[in-house]
Amino acid sequence: MISTLKKERFLERNEVLNVETYLISLAVALVGGLMLSRVTKLVKLPAVTAYLVAGLILGPFCIGALKIPGLGFNTAEQVDGLKIVTQTALGFIAFTIGNEFRLSQLKATGAKAITIGILQAVIATIFVDITLIVLHLLFPSLISIPCAITLGAIASATAPAATLMVVRQYKADGPLTRLLMLVVAIDDAVGLVLFSVSFGIATALSAGHVSVVAVVVEPIVEVVLSLGLGAVMGWLLNWVEQFFHSRSKRMSISVAFVMLTVGLSMIEFDVGGIHCGFSLLLVCMMTGTIFCNICSTSEELMGRIDGWTTPLNVLFFVISGAELDLNVLAQPVTLLVGVLYIIARSAGKYCGAAFSCRLTGQPKLITDHLGITLLPQAGVALGMAITAATLPDGALARNVVLFSVLVYELVGPALTKRSLLAVGEIKPEGRTSARQENKA
């Protein structure tokens, strides 16, 4: 009896220590990311780059390797244990992007944005497919056809988080910025369908038989269920908010609903042999879209939520940086396929965006720069890579995506900023601080 009691107390004490360690690690990550952003500002790099680099430094391959509890992230398992933070942050990011789909804006650019969003994603996939299939034909032992077409579909995905952070930091606004936000949102839906279909074909090629359910039915079901759940949550949020008049309470209920939506979007189930699930990004974007179009005070609420989620977004990128596996840099095959993947995807995104912009009659400045702003790639691609890892040579697909994300996340935000500067949608950075403004 006494030994059992001692064991329980020991386990309780260890659990408390783990909680303390996580809290200290999160605090160090937040402070470290913010402090490093002061350094990157000196070289005119976006803050999001600083957060990602801070994550790499604090991750299990650098400071975290010292195994000092609380100082960085000591293991990959510890980083993985913070999924609740990254998934919640991604939900709020998607919810905010949904705010871009206001009917007034959709009437002006909706059809063109949809055309561009679909074409640039499909063309990027085709570029990567052709490049990697040719590589397979030349060197069959390096990469298989199933792995090649899966990577092609993953290439379609663009990271909405990095793009949104750059837009927010520099208060970018203009035709390119507004079109970019719509295209990034549409890109996720298109990427989800492309990946589901390609992965279904890849699985069929590996197994030797084709599943129509996996290739056709399940992707459509996932998109429909995601949009349906998001629409219901957006309507419910607007209905519940009417019972509150205090700004703080209305903001609190909005935060609660986004968190609830994130949780519901993780549910998976089977119906009649069909696997049913939701896309977190699509669900939360649809929630934001419905809410912003039926709530008369949504813009004011969105502004308050943005302020509340700023620390959460910083943590999202620091943790994302810590997740990047630097072991892939020591694998020659991964580097070779990864470099070809990056070149083909970058060319596909740029050419796809340029072609679709010309097709829809966009101005030359937008035609020349939109493709560059679509290069960042992160969370969505990593999620797809985890699924792709179940293929016979899925480890290669996962490592290639890890390598490309490492490159794109460090370079992409800076290129996005450069493009927005080139079209005049970012104002020159001033030296006025919030501290000085508050004194005025």
Side-chain angles (χ1 to χ4, degrees), residues 189-239:
V190 178
L192 174 65
V193 174
L194 287 172
F195 176 75
S196 298
V197 172
S198 296
F199 183 69
I201 295 172
T203 304
L205 290 173
S206 299
H209 64 274
V210 177
S211 170
V212 177
V213 171
V215 175
V216 179
V217 178
E218 289 183 357
I220 296 173
V221 168
E222 183 169 347
V223 171
V224 172
L225 286 178
S226 299
L227 296 178
L229 176 59
V232 170
M233 295 305 292
W235 180 83
L236 281 175
L237 173 56
N238 179 63
W239 179 71

Side-chain angles (χ1 to χ4, degrees), residues 113-433:
I114 292 171
T115 301
I116 295 170
I118 293 173
L119 284 179
Q120 59 83 25
V122 171
I123 291 173
T125 295
I126 292 171
F127 268 54
V128 175
D129 277 345
I130 292 174
T131 301
L132 297 185
I133 288 173
V134 168
L135 179 64
H136 165 77
L137 295 175
L138 295 174
F139 307 100
S141 60
L142 285 183
I143 187 171
S144 67
I145 293 291
C147 184
I149 63 175
T150 301
L151 282 170
I154 294 174
S156 64
T158 298
T163 303
L164 181 64
M165 288 291 282
V166 172
V167 169
R168 277 183 179 173
Q169 179 184 353
Y170 299 106
K171 297 179 175 59
D173 189 32
L176 175 59
T177 301
R178 290 191 287 271
L179 178 62
L180 170 63
M181 298 305 292
L182 290 173
V183 170
V184 166
I186 294 164
D187 180 275
D188 288 315
V190 178
L192 174 65
V193 174
L194 287 172
F195 176 75
S196 298
V197 172
S198 296
F199 183 69
I201 295 172
T203 304
L205 290 173
S206 299
H209 64 274
V210 177
S211 170
V212 177
V213 171
V215 175
V216 179
V217 178
E218 289 183 357
I220 296 173
V221 168
E222 183 169 347
V223 171
V224 172
L225 286 178
S226 299
L227 296 178
L229 176 59
V232 170
M233 295 305 292
W235 180 83
L236 281 175
L237 173 56
N238 179 63
W239 179 71
V240 172
E241 287 233 345
Q242 295 175 18
F243 293 98
F244 301 91
H245 302 288
S246 162
R247 288 181 177 179
S248 59
K249 288 181 179 178
R250 289 170 61 236
M251 186 193 75
S252 298
I253 201 69
S254 300
V255 169
F257 254 80
V258 175
M259 293 173 69
L260 175 61
T261 304
V262 171
L264 291 175
S265 69
M266 295 179 182
I267 296 174
E268 297 181 358
F269 54 93
D270 292 316
V271 176
I274 298 175
H275 180 72
C276 301
F278 303 93
S279 164
L280 183 152
L281 285 172
L282 280 184
V283 173
C284 292
M285 275 193 284
M286 191 62 175
T287 301
T289 298
I290 296 298
F291 177 67
C292 77
N293 280 291
I294 63 177
C295 178
S296 58
T297 59
S298 61
E299 286 209 49
E300 179 260 337
L301 269 173
M302 286 290 187
R304 294 175 68 82
I305 290 174
D306 285 349
W308 184 87
T309 57
T310 297
L312 189 64
N313 292 335
V314 174
L315 283 175
F316 170 80
F317 284 103
V318 175
I319 295 170
S320 296
E323 284 180 324
L324 299 176
D325 189 347
L326 298 185
N327 284 327
V328 299
L329 299 178
Q331 301 170 4
V333 174
T334 298
L335 293 178
L336 172 62
V337 178
V339 169
L340 290 174
Y341 171 87
I342 289 171
I343 293 172
R345 179 181 179 271
S346 301
K349 283 286 181 181
Y350 183 82
C351 294
F355 170 74
S356 54
C357 281
R358 291 192 189 98
L359 191 66
T360 55
Q362 299 298 317
K364 188 176 186 304
L365 276 178
I366 292 179
T367 300
D368 291 342
H369 292 94
L370 178 63
I372 296 173
T373 64
L374 296 172
L375 293 182
Q377 190 173 46
V380 179
L382 290 173
M384 293 176 177
I386 292 171
T387 303
T390 58
L391 292 170
D393 59 345
L396 174 62
R398 177 181 175 275
N399 290 337
V400 167
V401 173
L402 282 171
F403 172 66
S404 69
V405 165
L406 176 64
V407 174
Y408 278 127
E409 284 298 89
L410 294 177
V411 176
L415 293 176
T416 299
K417 175 193 173 184
R418 183 180 177 184
S419 292
L420 293 175
L421 272 171
V423 298
E425 296 187 10
I426 289 180
K427 296 178 182 178
E429 296 179 67
R431 297 183 177 274
T432 304
S433 68

